[in-house]
Amino acid sequence: MAMNKHFHMSKGEGELSYSRNSSIQETVWLMNKQLLESVLESLFKVSYGVDKICNIVDLGCGVGPVPLALVSLVSNVIKGKLKELECDESCDEVGFKCQIYMNDLPSNDFSKLFKDLMSLEGLQTKYDGNPLCFFMGAPGSYYDRLFHHNTLDFVHANYALHWLSQVPAGLWNEHGVPINKGNVYMSETSSKAVGNAYWTQFENDFTKFLKNRSEEVVPNGCMLITLLGRPNDSDFFTWRTVELKIINQSLIALISEGLVKEEKLDNFNFPAYHPSMDQLESVVKKEGSFLIEEKRIVIHDSASEIKNKHERAQVLAKSTYALSESLISHHFGDQILQPFFDKLVYFAFQHLDLGYLAQNHSLTILLRKI
């Protein structure tokens, strides 16, 4: 399945929408806020009299609190710079303006996104009658070229690049028979070929991403990328996120209830890959367009602030549903969405009740174009 045709986070503002169930992504973003703020401040260190337009893109922006928080932070950094320079609307000229591109697949809920952006307080600050920040939608896959040569000053991507451009082709043999039966991702029962297929797809996708951004980012421009990763390379098959675990368990349970056919599950594979930091570094070094200036791994237990296991299971199930609904609906049909969600809640609670953690490993790298 090609992701650009069917994939999107759950739309709208309902109880199971992504906009209301992306608190885990927001938590990760907040952990990197200080680093991001430092990068943004360095972008706006320009002199008066220079008609500087700073071009920023949020790749895989989605909807919800994260893109709104990014835009608010950019706006606040600009206002802080103006205050530092003692600029107001009486100044003859301001030395910089900012253009922010919001990128995601065309199926993203851009209507919701821009409605939320326009409602943000403090974004109406103007200079000489014009906003300091201009916003544009940039639909398309971030694995393709999206912008003109040497136009982007800063690229931001939060919890986006672990999504692959497609389901790895190597998950079927030469006769079209699935080789990862009963699994939606790599597991202890998967063959080495399954792991190789996932790694090859990620390596190709991330290399393509870096090559295209190297064309678009200005010399010395930078990218701050955070994605869902794995602890290390030694647990290649044994490590799975709690989200992938309960998705797999839920679909198997629906087979036993006759709501899903076994062959449908055998042909369903989750189009994501969670690399280790060593794997990320190896691709960056091999592609050769960027240097890693900073790297960090943050381990966090999802929704750990909620002590009631039933309530926490609901949060984990809703966030899992919000990111997987379009994939499940496309492959299995809309009729299983409600029982699928019910199973997610059940298995999320079982996971927590057995004393297991709901840990995620977030990898962040700050890249600068050579």
Side-chain angles (χ1 to χ4, degrees), residues 9-23 26 62-68 109 112-113 116 322:
M9 301 292 108
S10 293
K11 297 182 178 182
E13 303 179 46
E15 184 181 353
L16 298 180
S17 65
Y18 184 77
S19 65
R20 292 179 58 180
N21 293 286
S22 50
S23 60
E26 183 182 18
V63 293
V66 173
L68 303 185
D109 197 348
K112 165 72 175 164
L113 172 64
D116 290 345

Side-chain angles (χ1 to χ4, degrees), residues 227-244:
L227 71 164
L228 193 58
R230 69 178 60 248
N232 50 60
D233 292 331
S234 62
D235 52 2
F236 196 59
F237 288 110
T238 58
W239 183 87
R240 284 186 293 178
T241 65
V242 62
E243 292 87 355
L244 284 168

Side-chain angles (χ1 to χ4, degrees), residues 108-142:
N108 183 56
D109 197 348
F110 280 103
S111 177
K112 165 72 175 164
L113 172 64
F114 280 94
K115 179 182 176 182
D116 290 345
L117 283 172
M118 293 303 100
S119 68
L120 278 178
E121 293 184 8
L123 292 188
Q124 305 308 314
T125 300
K126 295 185 177 183
Y127 182 82
D128 196 24
N130 294 312
L132 289 177
C133 290
F134 295 84
F135 306 98
M136 297 184 68
S141 170
Y142 43 68

